[in-house]
Amino acid sequence: MKLKVILTISALAISLVGVNARAQEHSDTGIWQSINLKAKISDSAEAGLWTEHRSKNEARDLDCALLMPYVNYTPLSWLQLGYASEYIIAASGRYVTCRPSATLLLGSGPLSFQFRVLPIYEHSLDRGEGTWTLRTRGKAAYRITGTRWKPYMSCELFTAGKWKKTRYCTGATWSFGSHSGLDLFYMYYVMGGDSVKERHILGVGYTFNL
């Protein structure tokens, strides 16, 4: 009887180790770093330049580096329209994207909500092929009264005929004044494909208003 118990416990332990090993095979950690330079064109329009570096494989290898000029226009207090184009150098090749977007802006007092629809056309410069992806994101933020902190949470879905991945993000922005700010965040996202993979991202971003 004791032998059966020992064998059963051993089998369960081996199974749990195997499950954990498989989970580790499909899990990764990376660091994202960005700088955002932007300037007001008018009361309702702005333009900027975003540059970002992303790592993977436990933050040891380059995932991608990108440069993205963009413009945003807010014709109504509750609507923002935008357009951006990325030039991306990644481990899998070089890409150029077209990114029109529309964002619904809602809020009351220190609490604000956003819902963004972002169709992206990504063209591979190496293969000469292009693909479309639809990104939809909901975001809630709260400005803490009497401080410069603004915590936020967001969820973003990527689809291209079928589900591709989902990003969950929580973080906070810190304002240094009217000209600059810092963004610190943690992101967890799940990717589809031949097997489901998950990634854990630590991020830091700096914004400077020209």
Side-chain angles (χ1 to χ4, degrees), residues 21-97:
R22 285 192 296 271
Q24 292 298 321
E25 289 175 2
H26 300 299
S27 180
D28 189 24
T29 302
I31 296 175
W32 292 7
Q33 305 160 81
S34 66
I35 297 176
N36 180 21
L37 304 175
K38 63 180 181 177
K40 270 191 168 295
I41 301 173
S42 66
D43 291 339
S44 57
E46 66 178 10
L49 181 66
W50 180 288
T51 181
E52 188 167 13
H53 179 278
R54 301 177 182 179
S55 64
K56 63 179 181 178
N57 295 334
E58 311 306 325
R60 293 189 299 265
D61 301 325
L62 172 70
D63 185 11
C64 74
L66 64 90
L67 188 68
M68 181 180 74
Y70 66 88
V71 291
N72 291 321
Y73 175 58
T74 309
L76 302 168
S77 61
W78 50 269
L79 178 65
Q80 183 181 76
L81 304 175
Y83 181 80
S85 180
E86 295 170 303
Y87 177 71
I88 303 170
I89 299 175
S92 57
R94 299 170 302 145
Y95 303 88
V96 173
T97 70

Side-chain angles (χ1 to χ4, degrees), residues 148-207:
R148 297 181 178 182
W149 286 106
K150 189 176 183 180
Y152 63 86
M153 296 181 67
S154 68
C155 177
E156 186 168 27
L157 184 68
F158 292 64
T159 56
K162 60 181 180 179
W163 172 76
K164 291 180 65 177
K165 59 186 173 184
T166 304
R167 288 178 178 172
Y168 304 93
C169 185
T170 182
T173 58
W174 169 270
S175 174
F176 293 109
S178 59
H179 290 289
S180 61
L182 193 66
D183 182 15
L184 303 171
F185 66 87
Y186 163 75
M187 180 189 295
Y188 168 76
Y189 71 87
V190 184
M191 297 175 286
D194 296 334
S195 60
V196 175
K197 301 178 182 179
E198 60 181 26
R199 297 194 70 186
H200 304 273
I201 303 297
L202 295 176
V204 57
Y206 177 74
T207 297

